[in-house]
Amino acid sequence: QILSKVYAVLSNAEQRAVYDETGAVDEESEVLREDRDWMEYWRLLFKLTVKDIEDFHKRYKNSAEELADVKKAYLDFKGDMDRIMETVLCAHYTDEPRIREMIERAIEAGELPSYKAFVQESKQKIMSRRRRAEKEAKEAEKTKKELGLDGENDLQALIQSRRQDREKEMNDLIAHLEAKYGNNAKKGGKTTAAKRRKT
């Protein structure tokens, strides 16, 4: 909703000029109250498919971008592999030996400091992280089967269903707030907007 309002103001020449000059936004403007399905608009604008995600995984792994992200995570978390594996994009527990090797090469080359948490990590901690990741992977697979997510269309159907649920919850919340504060909020909004224009 916030992004939608920002887009509505900045894409309207008149509203943009007012904002640039005063730094204020007229909340009662027709532009902001335009009845548009913003969720649908953003979804069409940034359409993403399962194949797009898979293609990104292929491009990202072993890329310069991944190496930079691994180095940053290593520095941010002082060599804590638990946090590194949670943070690096597309990192699966089977990638850990490869990621560990990337870090070791960077340490040997003097590009990264040698943190005790990384260099002296116990085998017990490594095995614990692996068991935890394997358990999570099994649970994810089980959930996927239970939801019937075998293909891209199934995933889109689930996303659509969740979107409708969220919209209903939001509509219920708005209706509740309007019933409770409706008249006062509208009066207050107009007064505030008028004051801002005068200022």
Side-chain angles (χ1 to χ4, degrees):
Q1 287 175 330
I2 292 169
L3 280 175
S4 301
K5 285 186 176 183
V6 169
Y7 181 81
V9 170
L10 298 182
S11 62
N12 180 282
E14 188 180 325
Q15 287 288 320
R16 176 70 184 259
V18 171
Y19 177 75
D20 287 344
E21 188 178 326
T22 65
V25 174
D26 181 1
E27 293 287 338
E28 293 299 310
S29 165
E30 289 298 319
V31 173
L32 294 181
R33 289 189 291 172
E34 189 178 312
D35 191 21
R36 173 185 256 181
D37 185 349
W38 285 105
M39 189 70 79
E40 186 66 21
Y41 174 78
W42 293 115
R43 197 165 60 81
L44 289 172
L45 198 62
F46 301 105
K47 191 170 181 184
L48 196 65
T49 66
V50 172
K51 188 178 183 306
D52 292 332
I53 296 168
E54 288 170 352
D55 290 345
F56 174 76
H57 276 234
K58 288 173 188 171
R59 285 195 312 272
Y60 181 75
K61 288 192 174 184
N62 295 308
S63 68
E65 186 182 359
E66 183 190 37
L67 178 59
D69 289 346
V70 167
K71 286 179 177 179
K72 183 178 185 313
Y74 177 83
L75 292 170
D76 288 348
F77 304 119
K78 305 281 190 285
D80 183 344
M81 279 300 285
D82 283 346
R83 303 290 301 279
I84 293 167
M85 291 303 294
E86 287 170 5
T87 306
V88 175
L89 290 175
C90 310
H92 189 263
Y93 73 91
T94 55
D95 293 312
E96 183 171 335
R98 183 178 62 81
I99 290 173
R100 185 173 282 279
E101 191 178 326
M102 290 164 71
I103 294 169
E104 286 169 351
R105 281 200 304 264
I107 291 171
E108 286 170 15
E111 296 168 5
L112 291 174
S114 178
Y115 289 125
K116 187 177 177 181
F118 177 79
V119 179
Q120 296 181 14
E121 186 178 37
S122 69
K123 287 183 181 178
Q124 185 180 356
K125 190 179 177 195
I126 294 170
M127 289 308 296
S128 172
R129 182 168 52 249
R130 184 182 178 88
R131 281 193 299 271
R132 189 168 61 247
E134 286 173 346
K135 184 182 174 188
E136 287 171 2
K138 283 177 186 172
E139 287 172 358
E141 193 61 35
K142 185 182 173 187
T143 304
K144 185 179 171 185
K145 285 178 183 173
E146 286 172 358
L147 294 171
L149 300 178
D150 297 324
E152 191 171 305
N153 292 337
D154 296 325
L155 179 60
Q156 287 175 346
L158 178 67
I159 291 169
Q160 183 71 16
S161 168
R162 292 218 174 130
R163 182 172 80 88
Q164 288 168 353
D165 290 344
R166 283 195 303 273
E167 281 178 2
K168 185 182 180 306
E169 287 172 8
M170 181 58 75
N171 289 338
D172 291 346
L173 175 63
I174 290 170
H176 173 73
L177 291 173
E178 282 177 347
K180 193 170 183 180
Y181 304 107
N183 295 333
N184 293 336
K186 283 180 183 174
K187 287 175 188 171
K190 285 178 184 173
T191 305
T192 307
K195 282 180 183 175
R196 283 180 184 160
R197 279 195 293 273
K198 285 177 184 176
T199 311

